[in-house]
Short mmCIF file of all heavy atoms in Angstrom, two decimals:
data_model
loop_
_atom_site.label_atom_id
_atom_site.label_comp_id
_atom_site.label_asym_id
_atom_site.label_seq_id
_atom_site.Cartn_x
_atom_site.Cartn_y
_atom_site.Cartn_z
N CYS A 33 -8.08 -2.21 6.32
CA CYS A 33 -8.58 -2.93 7.47
C CYS A 33 -9.39 -4.13 6.96
O CYS A 33 -9.67 -4.43 5.90
CB CYS A 33 -9.50 -2.21 8.36
SG CYS A 33 -11.11 -1.68 7.29
N ASN A 35 -12.72 -6.85 8.09
CA ASN A 35 -14.01 -6.83 8.99
C ASN A 35 -14.25 -8.23 9.39
O ASN A 35 -14.05 -9.19 8.73
CB ASN A 35 -15.10 -6.16 8.15
CG ASN A 35 -14.97 -4.84 7.71
OD1 ASN A 35 -14.18 -4.10 8.35
ND2 ASN A 35 -15.51 -4.48 6.64
N GLY A 38 -17.45 -9.22 15.91
CA GLY A 38 -16.72 -9.41 17.19
C GLY A 38 -17.67 -9.90 18.34
O GLY A 38 -18.70 -10.50 18.03
N THR A 83 -0.67 24.14 20.55
CA THR A 83 -1.47 25.39 20.63
C THR A 83 -2.60 25.39 19.62
O THR A 83 -2.50 24.75 18.56
CB THR A 83 -0.49 26.49 20.49
OG1 THR A 83 -1.26 27.80 20.60
CG2 THR A 83 0.06 26.47 19.03
N PHE A 98 0.13 39.16 14.86
CA PHE A 98 1.14 40.13 15.42
C PHE A 98 0.89 40.41 16.89
O PHE A 98 1.69 41.02 17.56
CB PHE A 98 0.98 41.46 14.51
CG PHE A 98 1.53 41.29 13.25
CD1 PHE A 98 0.64 41.41 12.03
CD2 PHE A 98 2.89 41.20 12.93
CE1 PHE A 98 1.19 41.17 10.77
CE2 PHE A 98 3.43 41.09 11.73
CZ PHE A 98 2.50 41.11 10.56
N ALA A 179 -14.65 23.65 -0.78
CA ALA A 179 -13.92 24.66 -0.09
C ALA A 179 -12.98 23.88 0.91
O ALA A 179 -11.83 24.40 1.11
CB ALA A 179 -14.79 25.48 0.67
N GLN A 183 -8.78 24.38 0.74
CA GLN A 183 -8.02 24.98 1.90
C GLN A 183 -7.03 23.89 2.35
O GLN A 183 -5.96 24.27 2.84
CB GLN A 183 -8.92 25.58 3.00
CG GLN A 183 -9.58 24.55 3.87
CD GLN A 183 -8.66 24.06 5.00
OE1 GLN A 183 -7.68 24.67 5.29
NE2 GLN A 183 -9.11 22.93 5.63
N THR A 194 7.86 23.34 1.09
CA THR A 194 8.83 23.99 2.20
C THR A 194 9.79 23.04 2.83
O THR A 194 10.90 23.21 2.94
CB THR A 194 8.07 24.71 3.15
OG1 THR A 194 7.26 25.87 2.44
CG2 THR A 194 9.05 25.56 4.11
N ILE A 233 -17.36 16.39 21.21
CA ILE A 233 -18.56 15.66 20.85
C ILE A 233 -19.61 15.81 21.93
O ILE A 233 -19.27 16.35 22.98
CB ILE A 233 -18.24 14.12 20.76
CG1 ILE A 233 -17.90 13.48 22.03
CG2 ILE A 233 -17.17 13.90 19.74
CD1 ILE A 233 -17.95 12.04 22.05
N ARG A 255 -21.21 5.33 2.54
CA ARG A 255 -21.93 4.12 2.09
C ARG A 255 -21.82 3.74 0.60
O ARG A 255 -22.29 2.77 0.16
CB ARG A 255 -23.44 4.44 2.49
CG ARG A 255 -23.87 4.50 4.04
CD ARG A 255 -25.21 4.73 4.09
NE ARG A 255 -25.67 4.91 5.51
CZ ARG A 255 -26.78 5.16 5.97
NH1 ARG A 255 -27.80 5.37 5.18
NH2 ARG A 255 -27.00 5.25 7.27
N GLY A 267 -10.20 8.83 17.04
CA GLY A 267 -10.12 8.93 18.61
C GLY A 267 -10.75 10.19 19.11
O GLY A 267 -10.54 11.24 18.42
N SER A 278 -5.76 21.80 36.78
CA SER A 278 -4.59 22.01 37.69
C SER A 278 -3.21 21.86 37.08
O SER A 278 -2.28 22.01 37.75
CB SER A 278 -4.70 21.30 38.96
OG SER A 278 -5.95 21.58 39.70
N LYS A 316 -9.27 4.29 32.39
CA LYS A 316 -10.34 3.34 32.51
C LYS A 316 -11.34 3.46 31.35
O LYS A 316 -12.15 2.69 31.07
CB LYS A 316 -11.30 3.73 33.76
CG LYS A 316 -10.37 3.28 35.04
CD LYS A 316 -11.37 3.65 36.16
CE LYS A 316 -10.54 3.46 37.64
NZ LYS A 316 -11.32 3.80 38.67
N MET A 327 -1.46 18.96 26.16
CA MET A 327 -0.86 20.09 27.12
C MET A 327 -0.71 21.28 26.28
O MET A 327 0.33 21.69 25.67
CB MET A 327 0.57 19.54 27.60
CG MET A 327 0.57 18.10 28.29
SD MET A 327 -0.60 18.03 29.58
CE MET A 327 0.38 18.77 30.89
N VAL A 355 10.58 3.13 40.50
CA VAL A 355 11.56 2.26 41.26
C VAL A 355 10.84 1.91 42.58
O VAL A 355 11.04 1.07 43.26
CB VAL A 355 12.86 3.10 41.61
CG1 VAL A 355 13.56 3.36 40.34
CG2 VAL A 355 12.51 4.37 42.36
N LEU A 429 -7.67 25.76 -18.27
CA LEU A 429 -7.99 25.69 -19.67
C LEU A 429 -7.10 26.55 -20.62
O LEU A 429 -6.66 26.20 -21.65
CB LEU A 429 -9.53 26.14 -19.90
CG LEU A 429 -10.47 25.16 -19.20
CD1 LEU A 429 -11.86 25.74 -19.31
CD2 LEU A 429 -10.40 23.78 -19.98
N LEU A 466 -22.56 31.99 18.63
CA LEU A 466 -23.25 32.75 19.47
C LEU A 466 -24.36 32.00 20.19
O LEU A 466 -25.33 32.51 20.84
CB LEU A 466 -23.90 33.96 18.76
CG LEU A 466 -22.95 34.83 18.10
CD1 LEU A 466 -23.65 35.94 17.36
CD2 LEU A 466 -21.90 35.44 18.87
#
Side-chain angles (χ1 to χ4, degrees):
C33 63
N35 299 327
T83 180
F98 290 109
Q183 75 86 12
T194 306
I233 67 167
R255 295 180 180 177
S278 302
K316 293 179 181 178
M327 307 303 283
V355 298
L429 293 173
L466 304 179

